[in-house]
Amino acid sequence: MIEMSEVSKIYPNGVSAINGITVKINKGEFVYVVGPSGAGKSTFIKMMYREEKPTTGSITVNGIQLSKLRNTKVPLFRRNLGVVFQDFKLLPTLTVFENVAFAMEVVEEHPKDIKKRVMEVLDLVGLKHKARMVPTELSGGEQQRVSIARSIVNSPQVVIADEPTGNLDPETSWEIMNILEEINNRGTTIVMATHNRDIVNNLKRRVIAIDNGRIVRDEQRGEYGYEY
Amino acid sequence: MSIRTLRRHFRESGKSLARNGWMTFASISAVTVTLLLVGVFFVIMMNLNHIAENIQKDVEIRVHLDPAADDNNKDLIGQKIEQISAVDTVAFSPKEKELTNLIDEMGEDGKTFKLFEQDNPLNDVYVVKTKEPVDVVKTAKQIEKFQYVQNVKYGQGYVEKMFDVVEVARNIGIVLILGLLFTAMFLISNTIKITIIARRREIEIMRLVGATNSFIRWPFFLEGAWLGILGAIIPIAFIAAAYSYIYDFVSPRIQIKFVELLEFNPFIWQVSLILLLLGAVIGVWGSLMSVRKFLKI
């Protein structure tokens, strides 16, 4: 599903973010990516959806070799990925429904399909009854659920989440985790960068720990393992 | 691209125009002023050109023959003139005919010239027309060197000056128009830049969920085109109205030969189309500049 081989990333300003990572994530896995701030987690994640290109090494996602992927083909590649962020990235002027529908509109789906599918995923994240509200009328947890709904509305094979619970209180974080777990149970691969020790230690999944741009630990049903 | 998508692009571009209110207004105003000047200038230029062409078309070379030339010499000169490649027509006008023409032109006073019928002091003349008005001077100088040609008349000095004036006016006009067009284009480009910045988040999300680059760019091109096209409306209306008024007012009052304005139809339609296209082109071009610079996709 996702394969990295000897991947390094040096930013143009000379910062070396990733120093030779080789890793394989299989279909249907749920993976935590942990590590201190500035360890290279974000770069690691960004390279998966080709927001960043590796300086050396090769990455294959969904069978597509990213180093050979032309810029014009990136949009088509991204349609098989869902991305969730810490800050939700919702459009404040659109309603919940429109925010989710947006992802389908821009890939030119048929309006009929859009309506049906959007209500389906809103139901999955438990926000069907708030479809007409705008993001500012929702709590942080609800906004993140909308963002998750948007990321899965095009039925991607992989969902990449960059600290999805970073802005949320513990209780709300668990709501989000329940939804991600549900999505994972339906067969979608999930890669989640997180700082949330409580979640990693209680909902045990594969843990990839990154420090100084290297994988320092990779274990099934791992622990968070940091003091911060 | 499906009709539905196209409709969406149109809707989005319209929303941007409304959202950028004042900047939209400024851009459209800039285009309006520019195209108004361009249009007025263009109309004047085309009419000047038209008048100049009319005059030029009428410029003829009158080759006065030496009275000493016999019929053979005259035929020979006629043939030699015809052989010049720039020459279109050659007509021989004997001195008797020249005198009749003169008498007719002078009207009442001309009758006194009838006295000369017995001893005609005029020359036989070849009236030469060139294919292109520009060749008049060159051809006249060539003919002047022939044997038995006394002199050549074609409105010396006057013709050259007219060509110069038309050319200078045209060049000044082109420079002025280009400058104005660039100004309008940069203003449009700036408006689009503001749109792009205002929609940065939307664009970011579009990219994340897999919208193609052309899908993202389209609304901006349309917005640019709108600015240009909307800016062209007032100039077109103004020029059409003003020209129709001026044409009706001026045309019946012109007494001078050669001087006539271009007819309203189809001239103004052509001008309108040109202005509309110019507006759309600078709009799309301005938008293209911003999209390339600020939309790094």
Side-chain angles (χ1 to χ4, degrees):
Chain A
M1 185 98 292
I2 301 175
E3 265 191 271
M4 292 194 182
S5 145
E6 291 301 320
V7 169
S8 294
K9 172 74 185 179
I10 299 167
Y11 282 103
N13 61 10
V15 174
S16 173
I18 299 287
N19 304 305
I21 281 187
T22 300
V23 71
K24 187 173 181 200
I25 296 169
N26 292 314
K27 186 168 166 49
E29 269 195 286
F30 191 128
V31 180
Y32 294 118
V33 179
V34 301
S37 299
K41 285 197 308 292
S42 278
T43 307
F44 180 66
I45 291 258
K46 278 181 181 164
M47 286 193 299
M48 289 180 189
Y49 60 93
R50 206 183 175 276
E51 185 67 19
E52 296 290 350
K53 282 188 199 172
T55 316
T56 58
S58 79
I59 303 174
T60 308
V61 178
N62 291 337
I64 295 165
Q65 231 201 307
L66 297 194
S67 55
K68 287 183 185 162
L69 187 67
R70 292 218 313 272
N71 282 338
T72 50
K73 297 287 177 205
V74 170
L76 298 176
F77 160 70
R78 291 231 176 114
R79 291 179 189 188
N80 284 317
L81 294 177
V83 190
V84 178
F85 295 93
Q86 184 174 1
D87 60 355
F88 322 136
K89 294 200 194 294
L90 299 175
L91 294 168
T93 53
L94 303 186
T95 66
V96 167
F97 180 90
E98 288 165 343
N99 261 292
V100 178
F102 187 76
M104 289 183 83
E105 278 170 17
V106 300
V107 300
E108 302 176 52
E109 295 281 357
H110 196 276
K112 248 188 207 158
D113 302 337
I114 292 179
K115 190 154 193 243
K116 189 163 156 268
R117 175 68 182 154
V118 170
M119 290 319 282
E120 219 173 272
V121 290
L122 281 181
D123 194 28
L124 176 68
V125 300
L127 284 174
K128 212 174 170 180
H129 58 294
K130 294 195 170 176
R132 287 163 187 269
M133 292 189 178
V134 292
T136 46
E137 293 171 324
L138 302 180
S139 71
E142 288 169 328
Q143 289 187 43
Q144 189 60 296
R145 275 145 69 187
V146 176
S147 152
I148 290 172
R150 185 182 62 197
S151 75
I152 59 166
V153 76
N154 286 326
S155 312
Q157 290 163 279
V158 185
V159 169
I160 294 165
D162 195 355
E163 303 203 25
T165 61
N167 279 348
L168 307 174
D169 59 59
E171 205 169 311
T172 325
S173 297
W174 276 108
E175 282 174 24
I176 298 298
M177 289 317 295
N178 289 336
I179 292 169
L180 288 177
E181 208 188 355
E182 169 66 25
I183 293 166
N184 180 236
N185 286 340
R186 296 180 180 203
T188 308
T189 311
I190 292 187
V191 180
M192 170 176 159
T194 185
H195 273 139
N196 196 320
R197 161 201 302 275
D198 183 41
I199 287 175
V200 177
N201 288 346
N202 283 291
L203 184 67
K204 294 233 171 164
R205 291 289 187 265
R206 179 178 174 187
V207 174
I208 294 174
I210 293 182
D211 205 346
N212 273 325
R214 287 194 178 81
I215 294 181
V216 292
R217 183 158 56 89
D218 181 356
E219 46 192 13
Q220 298 295 333
R221 302 185 60 78
E223 296 265 342
Y224 184 72
Y226 287 95
E227 293 308 314
Y228 30 82
Chain B
M1 190 174 11
S2 67
I3 302 277
R4 184 156 32 83
T5 306
L6 197 65
R7 241 195 343 247
R8 181 197 157 88
H9 291 329
F10 271 100
R11 201 171 56 232
E12 292 301 314
S13 65
K15 269 197 228 162
S16 274
L17 289 181
R19 182 159 36 192
N20 291 344
W22 283 106
M23 214 41 221
T24 298
F25 179 73
S27 304
I28 292 178
S29 310
V31 177
T32 300
V33 172
T34 306
L35 291 185
L36 201 59
L37 287 169
V38 169
V40 168
F41 208 88
F42 187 72
V43 167
I44 294 173
M45 280 300 308
M46 288 306 283
N47 272 295
L48 273 183
N49 231 9
H50 180 64
I51 292 168
E53 258 172 31
N54 273 346
I55 296 174
Q56 285 165 6
K57 250 189 268 168
D58 239 65
V59 172
E60 53 189 28
I61 306 169
R62 295 177 60 80
V63 182
H64 293 236
L65 301 182
D66 196 315
D70 60 25
D71 285 353
N72 262 344
N73 298 138
K74 287 174 195 167
D75 285 349
L76 203 65
I77 291 171
Q79 282 163 20
K80 275 167 84 182
I81 293 174
E82 263 172 9
Q83 275 161 14
I84 298 172
S85 59
V87 167
D88 188 24
T89 59
V90 183
F92 183 70
S93 166
K95 56 186 175 185
E96 292 77 23
K97 196 178 161 217
E98 289 292 301
L99 187 63
T100 344
N101 286 351
L102 185 67
I103 292 165
D104 287 351
E105 268 173 39
M106 300 297 274
E108 280 299 308
D109 300 333
K111 285 186 180 132
T112 41
F113 287 104
K114 285 202 167 167
L115 295 171
F116 288 110
E117 268 173 8
Q118 301 309 314
D119 186 17
N120 190 342
L122 297 176
N123 304 63
D124 292 325
V125 170
Y126 272 116
V127 179
V128 180
K129 284 206 167 192
T130 55
K131 287 174 193 143
E132 296 297 328
V134 242
D135 293 328
V136 164
V137 181
K138 199 182 71 195
T139 311
K141 293 217 162 110
Q142 214 172 333
I143 296 172
E144 205 169 18
K145 289 188 197 118
F146 293 169
Q147 217 184 352
Y148 294 117
V149 171
Q150 198 172 46
N151 58 34
V152 170
K153 292 219 163 89
Y154 61 92
Q156 279 98 328
Y158 167 70
V159 172
E160 285 101 326
K161 196 169 274 175
M162 195 169 64
F163 283 121
D164 286 351
V165 168
V166 169
E167 184 139 333
V168 167
R170 193 179 300 158
N171 289 343
I172 291 175
I174 287 171
V175 169
L176 211 74
I177 286 172
L178 282 182
L180 285 164
L181 287 179
F182 268 102
T183 311
M185 202 178 69
F186 278 110
L187 264 159
I188 288 179
S189 157
N190 221 29
T191 310
I192 303 292
K193 180 176 99 185
I194 287 172
T195 307
I196 290 175
I197 290 169
R199 314 189 94 171
R200 190 170 273 169
R201 173 158 275 238
E202 207 173 316
I203 293 165
E204 186 192 349
I205 295 166
M206 281 170 138
R207 296 183 56 193
L208 282 174
V209 298
T212 59
N213 292 344
S214 66
F215 185 93
I216 297 175
R217 285 182 189 133
W218 256 93
F220 298 113
F221 290 147
L222 283 177
E223 188 181 348
W226 283 138
L227 293 173
I229 290 168
L230 290 174
I233 289 175
I234 293 176
I236 288 173
F238 175 83
I239 285 171
Y243 195 75
S244 143
Y245 178 76
I246 290 170
Y247 186 82
D248 290 345
F249 184 80
V250 171
S251 287
R253 287 173 175 75
I254 295 176
Q255 304 293 340
I256 314 160
K257 200 184 165 193
F258 311 128
V259 178
E260 57 169 26
L261 296 180
L262 285 157
E263 283 199 44
F264 186 85
N265 191 8
F267 175 59
I268 286 300
W269 296 116
Q270 293 162 349
V271 173
S272 300
L273 196 68
I274 288 173
L275 289 182
L276 202 66
L277 281 178
L278 264 181
V281 166
I282 55 177
V284 172
W285 195 358
S287 147
L288 194 75
M289 291 195 337
S290 271
V291 165
R292 274 174 51 175
K293 205 159 155 195
F294 298 99
L295 206 64
K296 294 225 167 62
I297 50 175

